[in-house]
Amino acid sequence: MLEGKLALVTGSTSGIGLGIARALARQRANLVLNGFGEPAEIERLRGELAASFGVEVSYEGADLSKPAEIEAMFARIAARGAAVDILVNNAGIQHVAPVERFPTERWDAVIAINLSAAFHATRCALPAMQQRNWGRIVNIASTHGLVASVEKSAYVAAKHGIVGLTKVVALENARTGITCNAICPGWVLTPLVQKQIDARAAQSGQTVEQAKIALVSEKQPSHEFVTPEQLGELTVFLCSPAAGQVRGAAWAMDGGWTAQ
Ligand code: NAD
């Protein structure tokens, strides 16, 4: 379905981004991977995705907290005669602390990676999309783009921000073939969440398994995690012709969290 399209998925060396990259490659999109990791492991992943799905897979190691590195990444893609058709702004980090003890450098980092990077990547991607009158921008927000939880001020602010950015980009391109939407996942069992489970187990004296069940059950009526594969398939749908009039949506996939 996406044969010949080029998809840049930020933060695709792990977790949700990797699940989305895999789902797009299954639809024959060529990929640009991005994110941190061991060079040998990233190379193994690149080769595995290319071989499994018969698509071209390249890797860009841009640190998304640095706007100049985002611009350089897009310049390198353009220099090889390519352009991003599908941009998935997924890279993100978390820090948990009450506001009065929230380290200011952690605030800056969360806002830079979870919010400003999406703005910079979007402004770099849009001109070529506008030239071709086709594009898909999918922002991985969070349930925390719609509701809040304690001790996540920077994350909740960034995720509410990205939902707002999504609407503006959708409206500015509403009469074109470019759509911009946000996905708002509930809990997904990735390294980002595993850290929170480990901290919860250490604080409460529960086992890691008990802490995991407690974490997901507290917020999600389904008592089940959302999976990267499910988020990958929702992204594929948002890239499909059927989603051509889905514009500026903040689409929850959260086991019922925000239905309460
Ligand atoms: P993860 O830690 O598994 O993956 C994060 C990815 O971002 C990694 O590839 C990492 O290398 C990359 N990354 C981090 N900082 C970067 C930087 N400065 N430059 C480039 N890449 C960077 O996390 P995840 O759970 O897969 O999270 C992915 C996205 O989904 C995040 O935006 C997160 O907020 C969002 N999200 C996660 C959950 C969840 O429960 N896991 C829920 C809702 C939303």
Side-chain angles (χ1 to χ4, degrees), residues 5-253:
K5 304 286 191 205
L6 180 64
L8 165 59
V9 184
T10 70
S12 45
T13 52
S14 170
I16 295 171
L18 180 55
I20 291 173
R22 217 174 264 289
L24 293 172
R26 191 170 293 118
Q27 300 298 327
R28 305 298 306 263
N30 296 318
L31 296 176
V32 181
L33 301 175
N34 160 259
F36 298 143
E38 284 296 311
E41 172 55 21
I42 292 171
E43 183 49 31
R44 190 203 59 74
L45 188 61
R46 202 195 58 70
E48 183 236 296
L49 288 168
S52 304
F53 300 110
V55 296
E56 287 169 24
V57 184
S58 60
Y59 167 72
E60 288 285 343
D63 178 344
L64 298 187
S65 67
K66 302 189 172 121
E69 292 200 18
I70 298 173
E71 287 177 12
M73 170 169 67
F74 276 88
R76 275 192 299 274
I77 293 169
R80 58 176 158 102
V84 173
D85 301 292
I86 298 167
L87 169 64
V88 182
N89 288 306
N90 164 79
I93 58 168
Q94 175 64 282
H95 188 83
V96 180
V99 171
E100 68 278 13
R101 293 204 299 277
F102 210 93
T104 56
E105 74 282 3
R106 288 288 85 202
W107 171 276
D108 290 344
V110 171
I111 299 295
I113 297 163
N114 295 20
L115 177 58
S116 301
F119 159 70
H120 294 298
T122 300
R123 72 176 170 80
C124 290
L126 271 175
M129 290 179 177
Q130 287 164 343
Q131 220 167 29
R132 297 192 308 289
N133 197 33
W134 196 90
R136 291 288 186 267
I137 301 173
V138 180
N139 293 325
I140 305 307
S142 166
T143 306
H144 288 118
L146 304 171
V147 298
S149 296
V150 295
E151 301 195 344
K152 295 187 176 175
S153 53
Y155 190 86
V156 169
K159 295 298 186 181
H160 275 67
I162 206 167
V163 168
L165 173 67
T166 300
K167 293 176 185 174
V168 174
V169 174
L171 291 179
E172 288 182 4
N173 293 278
R175 298 185 67 180
T176 74
I178 302 162
T179 70
C180 180
N181 293 289
I183 294 178
C184 298
W187 290 121
V188 187
L189 194 51
T190 66
L192 181 142
V193 165
Q194 189 62 49
K195 280 186 212 150
Q196 296 173 59
I197 293 170
D198 294 345
R200 193 180 174 123
Q203 273 163 21
S204 65
Q206 290 173 310
T207 64
V208 169
E209 189 57 25
Q210 285 167 333
K212 182 175 97 179
I213 293 164
L215 174 125
V216 72
S217 311
E218 178 183 85
K219 299 284 190 182
Q220 291 189 190
S222 66
H223 291 200
E224 284 181 28
F225 287 94
V226 179
T227 68
E229 291 73 22
Q230 290 167 334
L231 292 163
E233 292 306 318
L234 179 53
T235 305
V236 167
F237 168 69
L238 290 174
C239 293
S240 73
Q245 291 307 324
V246 182
R247 294 176 185 263
W251 194 310
M253 186 185 267

